[in-house]
């Protein structure tokens, strides 16, 4: 083949390669500062530069306080020189082949994935209808409308009112247990729980260290007697850790400790419309992200060889090696949604 034919063949191959685009995993990136011809340059270098229009726009994007730093010619020169020197450093790094450095490639990959996420999830944000918001509100009423609730622990001694002798013996023991409870640190719920586990005679709550869980005052009255509900109402003002006296009910005697309190909630749909809408939008974002990942895996023919993977030994006893390069990228998760309104619990 003659030199001319060889040259034409190579040129044709290059042209075909350009038409087909870069190979998978490769990309052509334009690192110039300005991709259009600079019409009114205030600074120029190697077919690139900063235009007066760009400088004006950049300055207007600054806060008024920051703009005060660029009033004189020398101050503006300093800013423009900083921009130009940065771009010249970029070009020098490219000339030295640093754009293919693993650390640079890893940082670029992370920036690309972050930009893809914004494009996929933020710029194509799925709408949330009023009907969807109302349906969520209706199906989660307990998050938005609920009565006042208290959490109690108790030591219960069985002593029906009809059994006077047993009732007197139980009262003496209950007074002694109340004195022991008062000697404990006010918010040492664990210590009170040990007291309940050792002495309580209520079979449902004794294994739970006397914990009654959160209940409304109505539920307390129904399940343990109106006297317990009334005592709980009186403890709320003193806060968690407060102790009742000995409370007599039809079934027996209680020593109560308040461990938590939740104020009543009565939030209407309008009160929480924006919050619910944001939550549903976030759920749609999360689903869209998962669908994108699944589609990419399917189109790429992604698979995992479980047999080979299982043979990769992980030895936790060997010392840590120096890094051989930047760590591989990991999949970012969409920003988590805000939780529904709730009152913090004083006791876990």
């Amino acid at each position: 083949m003659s030199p001319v034919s060889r040259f034409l063949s190579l040129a044709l191959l290059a042209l075909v390669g350009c038409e087909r685009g870069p190979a998978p995993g490769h990309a052509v990136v334009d690192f110039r500062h300005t991709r259009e011809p600079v019409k009114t340059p205030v600074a120029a270098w190697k077919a690139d530069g900063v235009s007066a229009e760009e400088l004006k726009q950049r300055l207007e994007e600054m806060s008024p306080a920051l703009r005060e730093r660029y009033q004189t010619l020398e101050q503006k020169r300093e800013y423009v020189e900083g921009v130009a020197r940065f771009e010249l450093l970029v070009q020098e790094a490219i000339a030295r082949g640093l754009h293919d450095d693993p650390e640079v490639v890893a940082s670029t990959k992370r920036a690309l994935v972050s930009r893809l996420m914004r494009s996929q999830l933020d710029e194509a944000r799925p709408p949330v209808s009023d009907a969807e918001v109302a349906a969520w509100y209706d199906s989660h009423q307990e998050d938005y409308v609920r009565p006042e609730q208290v959490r109690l622990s108790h030591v219960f001694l069985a002593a029906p009112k009809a059994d006077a002798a047993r009732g007197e013996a139980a009262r003496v023991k209950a007074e002694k247990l109340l004195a022991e409870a008062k000697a404990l640190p006010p918010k040492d719920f664990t210590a009170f729980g040990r007291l309940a586990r050792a002495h309580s005679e209520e079979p449902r709550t004794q294994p739970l260290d006397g914990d009654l869980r959160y209940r409304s005052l109505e539920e307390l009255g129904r399940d343990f007697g109106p006297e317990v509900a009334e005592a709980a109402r009186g403890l709320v003002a003193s806060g968690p850790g407060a102790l009742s006296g000995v409370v007599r009910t039809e079934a027996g005697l209680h020593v109560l400790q308040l461990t938590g309190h939740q104020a009543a909630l009565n939030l209407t749909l309008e009160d929480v419309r924006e919050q619910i809408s944001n939550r549903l939008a976030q759920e749609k974002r999360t689903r869209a992200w998962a669908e994108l990942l699944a589609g990419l895996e399917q189109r790429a023919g992604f698979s995992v060889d479980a047999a080979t993977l299982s043979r990769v030994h992980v030895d936790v006893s060997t010392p840590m090696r120096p890094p051989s390069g930047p760590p591989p990228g990991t999949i970012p998760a969409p920003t988590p949604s805000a939780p529904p309104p709730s009152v913090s619990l004083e006791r876990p």
Side-chain angles (χ1 to χ4, degrees), residues 30-80:
D30 188 348
F31 284 102
R32 290 175 298 170
H33 176 72
T34 303
R35 300 181 183 185
E36 300 294 333
V38 180
K39 296 180 180 178
T40 52
V42 294
W45 63 91
K46 289 186 179 179
D48 207 342
V50 178
S51 69
E53 294 80 10
E54 179 194 353
L55 177 60
K56 185 174 185 297
Q57 178 179 338
R58 296 301 181 194
L59 292 173
E60 289 175 350
E61 291 170 356
M62 297 179 186
S63 67
L66 189 55
R67 267 179 254 154
E68 291 288 342
R69 295 175 52 184
Y70 302 107
Q71 295 300 305
T72 68
L73 173 61
E74 287 305 314
Q75 289 169 331
K76 286 182 281 190
R77 179 192 294 274
E78 180 184 358
Y79 177 81
V80 171

Side-chain angles (χ1 to χ4, degrees), residues 9-290:
S9 298
L10 291 173
L12 180 60
L13 288 173
L15 179 61
V16 171
C18 290
E19 290 176 349
R20 290 178 178 174
H26 294 71
V28 177
V29 182
D30 188 348
F31 284 102
R32 290 175 298 170
H33 176 72
T34 303
R35 300 181 183 185
E36 300 294 333
V38 180
K39 296 180 180 178
T40 52
V42 294
W45 63 91
K46 289 186 179 179
D48 207 342
V50 178
S51 69
E53 294 80 10
E54 179 194 353
L55 177 60
K56 185 174 185 297
Q57 178 179 338
R58 296 301 181 194
L59 292 173
E60 289 175 350
E61 291 170 356
M62 297 179 186
S63 67
L66 189 55
R67 267 179 254 154
E68 291 288 342
R69 295 175 52 184
Y70 302 107
Q71 295 300 305
T72 68
L73 173 61
E74 287 305 314
Q75 289 169 331
K76 286 182 281 190
R77 179 192 294 274
E78 180 184 358
Y79 177 81
V80 171
E81 287 177 347
V83 173
R85 287 167 180 166
F86 176 84
E87 296 296 335
L88 293 176
L89 289 170
V90 171
Q91 296 303 321
E92 178 63 17
I94 294 171
R96 297 187 186 187
L98 296 181
H99 53 289
D100 280 329
D101 179 85
E103 184 178 348
V104 174
V105 173
S107 297
T108 304
K109 285 180 178 180
R110 291 185 176 89
L112 283 171
V113 171
S114 176
R115 185 63 186 88
L116 174 63
M117 174 176 278
R118 296 205 313 273
S119 174
Q120 181 75 16
L121 302 181
D122 294 343
E123 296 173 7
R125 184 173 301 171
V128 177
S129 69
D130 289 343
E132 289 174 306
V133 173
W136 173 273
Y137 178 84
D138 290 340
S139 62
H140 293 79
Q141 280 277 330
E142 69 279 3
D143 290 331
Y144 307 109
V145 179
R146 65 167 180 253
E148 178 185 22
Q149 293 184 318
V150 294
R151 188 175 186 178
L152 299 172
S153 288
H154 74 153
V155 181
F156 173 74
L157 302 178
K161 280 187 175 181
D163 191 339
R166 187 177 178 185
E168 178 58 24
R171 185 192 64 77
V172 172
K173 184 177 179 180
E175 293 289 355
K176 180 182 176 182
L177 291 172
L178 177 59
E180 291 184 34
K182 288 181 176 179
L184 299 173
K187 292 189 179 182
D188 190 346
F189 303 130
T190 302
F192 187 89
R194 287 195 295 266
L195 202 65
R197 183 177 285 268
H199 299 284
S200 184
E201 298 171 1
E202 209 289 312
R204 294 170 297 176
T205 60
Q206 184 270 341
L208 304 175
D209 294 346
D211 187 11
L212 301 184
R213 305 301 189 190
Y214 272 99
R215 298 171 188 261
S216 67
L217 296 176
E218 180 182 351
E219 290 171 328
L220 276 175
R222 183 186 66 232
D223 296 342
F224 296 97
E227 299 88 352
V228 171
E230 189 60 31
R233 192 191 309 275
L235 293 176
V236 168
S238 299
L243 291 166
S244 71
V246 176
V247 179
R248 158 62 81 176
T249 66
E250 287 291 335
L253 303 173
H254 299 258
V255 175
L256 305 169
Q257 183 182 54
L258 181 70
T259 59
H261 174 248
Q262 291 182 345
L265 274 180
N266 189 22
L267 300 174
T268 67
L269 175 59
E270 290 308 312
D271 292 331
V272 293
R273 180 180 296 280
E274 183 178 359
Q275 182 189 71
I276 294 175
S277 179
N278 291 339
R279 178 168 190 158
L280 294 178
Q282 177 59 35
E283 290 179 355
K284 289 188 176 186
R285 283 162 50 93
T286 301
R287 286 196 298 272
W289 189 237

